[in-house]
Amino acid sequence: MDQTTPDEHAVVPFLRAGPPPDRTRWEGWQQWRKIRGTFVPAPRLTLAEHQSLSPRRRALHDLHRTATHVNMRLQETPMSARVANLMRGRLQNNAVKFMPGTRDGLMINGGGFQGKTETACDAAASFEDVWREVHHQLLPGRTPGTRDVFVPVAYCRLPVRATPKGLCKAILNVYGDPHPGTLDDLVRAVRDAIRHHHTTALLIDDITRLRLHREDDQDTLDLIRELMDLNVTLVLIGVDIPGSGLLRGAYVDQRTGQWIFPDIARGRGHQTATQTSRRFDMVDLDPFDYSTPAGITAFLDHLAGIEDQLRLLRGFPGMLTTGEMPEYLFGRTRGVVGLLRRLTEDGCTDAILTGEERLTPELLARATIHLGNLNDLDPAAGEVPDIPQDVAPPTKSKPRRGRNTVLDDRGNRSAAGD
């Protein structure tokens, strides 16, 4: 039987059973870690092959194509590669240090929908893949009657209205551990959980929900710094960290370029004053740049990677990378990876439903970029990006983009080097 035409009564293999994994729970993180990158895209069919399918097979193939377009693989960009390489190196270096003391942390900074979370989680999962193999040789077997759970990477999100208690509960939820009643007991439980589960990396997302205008925000940041004493690598992920106030009291070490947070004894019960400073590297995950030839090349390479994953019946090589399409896509998204992904998804859906089966500026002009469910995002913290106003599709009289043509941040043309 032709592999491109599934059996009439075969089980649909590309649909997910149940809700998506919840990475803020260790079980969900493990499920996601194991299945990431395993999605099998729809086979490529010509228009004639598609039309020759039975109605049921054609409908299933269209559904598989839709699943392919909304589950495109995570593509590495020059910006994300810089972040991922620094993060993997930091996690590995800190994991094999035997001397006591704080471990240098990492702050990942960038705008909303620029792929910070996915880049950080993928780098942490890659580290965990290796670290689990190493620890099979070091950890004893399971002890009957106990709950032995190895959690080398813990990922949580800061609550919208952060408090020290709220952060402690978010961390304990990763392990499924109970919540003691008092703050001192909560902090003690967090420390015990990180140690007992052999957690090496603690990722705290949405860190810039701390605006530090409230005492609870300041106490929460102090608690985060304290956790570095546990030989765990802290990875803080946020939007516009320099403008959020989180760096208040910190200074840059001119020798290393790291941000240093000196200990501040605030006189609270959960504070443990020491003489150890907390050091963080901060790395930016920027959108694509269309103002230099190198930036244009990187953007075109990214578009080519997207194009390779599409399953439109009238698609063609260069559909996204030639003519006016690159300029149009950059104008609609300003090079923000998440916005480009949403625009492509919606455009592909429209192309399939209308039978156009290819992406053009005219078709994409009908699509409004929808950011989906925003209930778990905090606009005040910059987690919801500004969507550029719709850009009119290019006219035939409009000059075509050359390799030496660049766009400024408003989408206006200029010659490279001007």
Side-chain angles (χ1 to χ4, degrees), residues 182-373:
T182 68
L183 177 57
D184 286 343
D185 288 340
L186 279 167
V187 173
R188 188 177 301 110
V190 167
R191 289 177 170 272
D192 290 343
I194 291 175
R195 290 193 186 100
H196 295 165
H197 295 283
H198 302 274
T199 299
T200 302
L202 175 60
L203 280 61
I204 304 179
D205 206 348
D206 304 322
I207 190 65
T208 41
R209 290 177 175 177
L210 294 176
R211 309 307 292 181
L212 300 187
H213 63 282
R214 298 180 307 123
E215 187 174 356
D216 278 342
D217 288 354
Q218 298 174 30
D219 290 345
T220 304
L221 181 59
D222 290 343
L223 174 60
I224 290 172
R225 296 177 191 175
E226 278 188 53
L227 296 178
M228 296 179 75
D229 291 337
L230 297 176
N231 295 338
V232 63
T233 302
L234 276 183
V235 180
L236 310 181
I237 308 167
V239 176
D240 188 20
I241 291 176
S244 68
L246 290 179
L247 302 180
R248 187 183 308 166
Y251 61 93
V252 177
D253 185 329
Q254 298 300 321
R255 182 178 59 85
T256 64
Q258 291 179 308
W259 285 90
I260 300 179
F261 291 82
D263 283 325
I264 302 174
R266 298 181 56 82
R268 291 172 177 80
H270 65 271
Q271 283 291 325
T272 304
T274 69
Q275 298 301 315
T276 304
S277 295
R278 276 71 174 175
R279 292 175 175 265
F280 284 87
D281 283 293
M282 183 164 61
V283 59
D284 295 315
L285 185 55
D286 299 315
F288 282 100
D289 175 22
Y290 213 81
S291 64
T292 66
I296 291 175
T297 298
F299 188 60
L300 292 177
D301 289 343
H302 189 74
L303 294 181
I306 293 176
E307 182 182 300
D308 182 64
Q309 299 184 68
L310 303 185
R311 297 296 188 265
L312 297 178
L313 301 177
R314 289 190 173 92
F316 56 91
M319 180 175 63
L320 301 184
T321 59
T322 59
E324 300 289 350
M325 185 63 96
E327 281 187 12
Y328 179 78
L329 291 172
F330 186 85
R332 285 293 302 273
T333 65
R334 292 294 183 264
V336 176
V337 172
L339 299 184
L340 179 62
R341 189 184 190 98
R342 291 297 177 92
L343 179 61
T344 304
E345 290 177 7
D346 292 344
C348 287
T349 299
D350 191 25
I352 292 174
L353 292 176
T354 61
E356 190 162 343
E357 291 291 348
R358 62 177 179 173
L359 296 183
T360 64
E362 293 75 17
L363 180 141
L364 293 175
R366 303 195 298 260
T368 300
I369 298 178
H370 296 287
L371 298 182
N373 185 2

Side-chain angles (χ1 to χ4, degrees), residues 126-164:
S126 297
F127 160 77
E128 182 173 342
D129 292 341
V130 175
W131 197 240
R132 280 187 172 275
E133 291 187 19
V134 172
H135 265 61
H136 280 316
Q137 306 173 35
L138 302 178
L139 286 179
R142 292 182 178 274
T143 303
T146 66
R147 182 170 175 265
D148 299 323
V149 180
F150 179 41
V151 185
V153 174
Y155 168 81
C156 68
R157 301 180 65 188
L158 201 66
V160 172
R161 187 172 177 83
T163 64

Side-chain angles (χ1 to χ4, degrees), residues 80-97 103-106 108 119-120 122-128 130-131 200-201 233-235 258 281 283:
S80 68
R82 182 175 65 252
V83 173
N85 290 338
L86 177 59
M87 181 171 168
R88 282 193 291 263
R90 179 59 46 82
L91 294 181
Q92 292 174 2
N93 290 348
N94 287 349
V96 296
K97 286 183 178 179
R103 301 295 186 251
D104 290 352
L106 184 63
I108 300 178
T119 299
D122 187 69
S126 297
F127 160 77
E128 182 173 342
V130 175
W131 197 240
T200 302
T233 302
L234 276 183
V235 180
Q258 291 179 308
D281 283 293
V283 59

